Each structure stands twice: as C-alpha cells, then as structure tokens.
C-alpha cells in the first residue's frame, strides 16, 4: 500500500473543513501527547 498526496484534478475537488480553535487545540494536545516513535512516518515527503 502506498499513500500519495497530490493536488485535486479540478478546483471543485478541493475541500476546506471548518475547524474551531477549540478543535484545533484538541488536535495539538493529542499530537503533543502521543507516543514518540524512533522514526517519524513520512507520506510523500510530509511528516509530523
């Protein structure tokens, strides 16, 4: 299996998902407190 991140074919395929500051804070808290791994997974050049 391979994960690839690329642009959509048309602009109508791009989605913006609204997120409140509280939800963004929850995600940041989860990421900060997750188990640390020796090698950070990388998908198509993106990590973290």
């Amino acid at each position: 299996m391979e994960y690839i991140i690329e642009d959509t074919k048309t602009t109508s395929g791009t989605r913006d998902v609204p997120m409140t500051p509280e939800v963004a804070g929850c995600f940041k808290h989860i990421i900060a407190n997750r188990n640390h791994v020796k090698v950070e997974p990388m998908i198509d050049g993106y990590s973290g």
Side-chain angles (χ1 to χ4, degrees), residues 19-40:
M19 184 182 308
T20 64
E22 293 82 12
V23 173
C26 287
F27 277 117
K28 289 178 183 179
H29 178 74
I30 290 169
I31 290 170
N33 293 320
R34 66 182 178 167
N35 292 333
H36 295 284
V37 294
K38 290 182 180 181
V39 178
E40 182 73 28

